[in-house]
Amino acid sequence: MSTKDLPIGIVGAGIGGLAAAIALRRGGHDVVVFEQAKQFARVGADINLTPNAVRALDGLGAGEAARVTAARPSHRISRSYDSGEETSRLEMADAAEQRYGAPQLTIHRADLLAALTAMVPAECVQLGKRAASIAQDDEAVTVRFEDGSEARVSALLGADGIHSAVRTAMFGAESPRFTGIVAYRAVVPAERVAGVPNLGAFTKWWGPNPQSQIVTFPLNRGKDVFIFATTAQDTWHLESWTAPGSVEELRAQYADYHGEARALLDACDTVLKTALYERDPMPAWTLGRMALLGDAAHPMLPFMAQGAGMAIEDAVVLARHLEGVPAQELPEALRRYEQARLDRTSRVQLGSRGNNWLRDGGNADWVYGYDAWAVPLAPAEAAAGA
């Protein structure tokens, strides 16, 4: 098989990897996605898709399916943890759709993955493929898997998360850093907390320090309320998103929060707990015929709710840079993609770490108004000088 006949390989069938597969296929490329899991399962967190992410999904053709189970928060509200004072309020829903071309959606990660998976032909996805080694030459990338098989692709995209095997193959081993912050997640039926105001809004209760907060938003078309709370805790390092936590510990951590916030915690029957990890922004994401996207390139704390959004944006901008590009020119096109995305994702990554986004109001346009389908492509000369 000649290089021009080889598909583009994607490691990781998460949100970024599937979005990239859809976008690249729309651009005329053959694609194969390698996923280490042996089957798709309903795991992961509930996520907030801000208008920039939904607009990108709509362009992929996945937005309508995502809306079936999603909720549309009415507002984005910031409140002080103790007094309950509102420090900012942004109208979302129809107002966001009019301003940005898409609403905010809050949805379970599995429902979004299902919407994306439905758009990728089954023959394009290979399950049970955990990469054991990755090597490239001038013409292609060879991936050897733990099951003994191997694949040769014209380019390889790492969409395999914060512990990316592709990133390690490109730049060497490096462990993500524990932030000293843990997160609790819970879902309660909205009818159980019917007396609490603003259940239809995305509400962030800002705590006494940057590590402490409670975020709530509607799920399942408003039938449930999702609770995401973080606090400093150096003694817990487990990164699993499915590890059980203690409801009593959850309530004790936020005992000094406003009564409306505590009412939501009091309604929790079960809670999951995980440690939060991060990396610093990278100076480069590409190396020859390999490139990174999503958490593999820029894992970030959840405080701006942009992890999934940045991955979807990456996928769209990447595919636009690769559209119509022959195999021999893929390395240059990948560098142009990097050039187009590096500044924005680094700014969001550092902003998420700072955890001050919209606390006291401000203009959300630079984040929410971004249109991955319309932003200018990086010129070839910029890539050559990068």
Side-chain angles (χ1 to χ4, degrees):
M1 182 180 289
S2 67
T3 303
K4 69 178 182 179
D5 295 324
L6 295 175
I8 293 175
I10 301 172
V11 178
I15 292 169
L18 291 174
I22 296 166
L24 286 166
R25 282 174 49 81
R26 286 169 56 104
H29 289 283
D30 291 328
V31 174
V32 58
V33 182
F34 306 111
E35 168 55 42
Q36 66 181 12
K38 294 183 179 180
Q39 62 184 17
F40 289 118
R42 190 175 177 83
V43 297
D46 301 281
I47 57 176
N48 170 28
L49 298 173
T50 51
N52 51 303
V54 178
R55 191 168 184 178
L57 281 175
D58 286 342
L60 289 174
E64 183 176 350
R67 285 167 170 80
V68 172
T69 60
R72 287 167 47 112
S74 61
H75 297 81
R76 189 200 185 283
I77 303 171
S78 289
R79 300 183 68 178
S80 296
Y81 79 100
D82 48 1
S83 68
E85 176 191 2
E86 283 194 16
T87 57
S88 73
R89 175 182 282 253
L90 294 179
E91 192 174 358
M92 299 301 290
D94 291 345
E97 192 151 18
Q98 293 168 8
R99 185 176 182 88
Y100 303 117
Q104 177 184 22
L105 298 178
T106 48
I107 187 173
H108 194 286
R109 182 176 184 272
D111 292 333
L112 176 56
L113 283 174
L116 295 170
T117 301
M119 299 186 65
V120 180
E123 61 268 21
C124 293
V125 180
Q126 297 185 19
L127 299 174
K129 295 294 182 180
R130 182 187 292 271
S133 66
I134 300 170
Q136 68 172 318
D137 53 39
D138 291 341
E139 295 186 346
V141 182
T142 300
V143 186
R144 292 181 173 84
F145 301 99
E146 289 185 356
D147 64 5
S149 64
E150 68 174 50
R152 192 163 167 83
V153 294
S154 60
L156 187 69
L157 307 177
D160 49 342
I162 192 170
H163 299 288
S164 170
V166 180
R167 176 174 174 145
T168 298
M170 293 168 67
F171 302 114
E174 175 203 359
S175 297
R177 179 177 57 252
F178 174 51
T179 60
I181 302 171
V182 298
Y184 300 91
R185 291 184 296 120
V187 177
V188 299
E191 62 184 16
R192 191 182 297 176
V193 288
V196 178
N198 300 313
L199 293 180
F202 176 101
T203 301
K204 181 166 181 175
W205 296 85
W206 296 81
N209 56 64
Q211 296 79 32
S212 180
Q213 64 169 20
I214 298 175
V215 170
T216 67
F217 53 76
L219 278 181
N220 300 327
R221 304 185 71 88
K223 296 176 183 177
D224 296 315
V225 177
F226 178 64
I227 300 166
F228 181 84
T230 65
T231 191
Q233 190 174 116
D234 284 328
T235 57
W236 180 279
H237 295 260
L238 186 59
E239 196 178 355
S240 170
W241 285 100
T242 58
S246 163
V247 173
E248 291 75 20
E249 179 185 82
L250 169 69
R251 293 169 184 156
Q253 289 284 0
Y254 306 94
D256 55 350
Y257 271 61
H258 189 272
E260 291 176 11
R262 286 187 286 105
L264 293 168
L265 305 186
D266 289 343
C268 295
D269 292 328
T270 59
V271 64
L272 301 177
K273 182 180 179 182
T274 188
L276 299 183
Y277 286 75
E278 66 168 349
R279 296 182 189 265
D280 293 326
M282 300 180 71
W285 302 346
T286 60
L287 184 66
R289 293 181 172 273
M290 296 192 286
L292 305 174
L293 68 137
D295 282 353
H298 43 71
M300 58 188 66
L301 292 173
F303 299 143
M304 288 177 66
Q306 290 301 313
M310 292 299 106
I312 299 165
E313 288 182 5
D314 284 347
V316 171
V317 175
L318 169 68
R320 291 178 60 215
H321 279 87
L322 269 58
E323 186 170 0
V325 173
Q328 65 270 21
E329 297 177 14
L330 286 175
E332 179 186 352
L334 292 174
R335 288 193 297 272
R336 293 174 61 211
Y337 147 72
E338 171 193 281
Q339 190 77 10
R341 292 291 296 159
L342 195 59
D343 287 348
R344 174 172 171 82
T345 56
S346 295
R347 184 180 179 189
V348 173
Q349 201 173 359
L350 293 174
S352 297
R353 178 185 296 174
N355 192 20
N356 202 38
W357 168 245
L358 297 178
R359 178 171 186 161
D360 299 307
N363 192 320
D365 290 359
W366 75 270
V367 176
Y368 296 170
Y370 182 94
D371 184 355
W373 293 101
V375 293
L377 300 182
E381 51 269 26

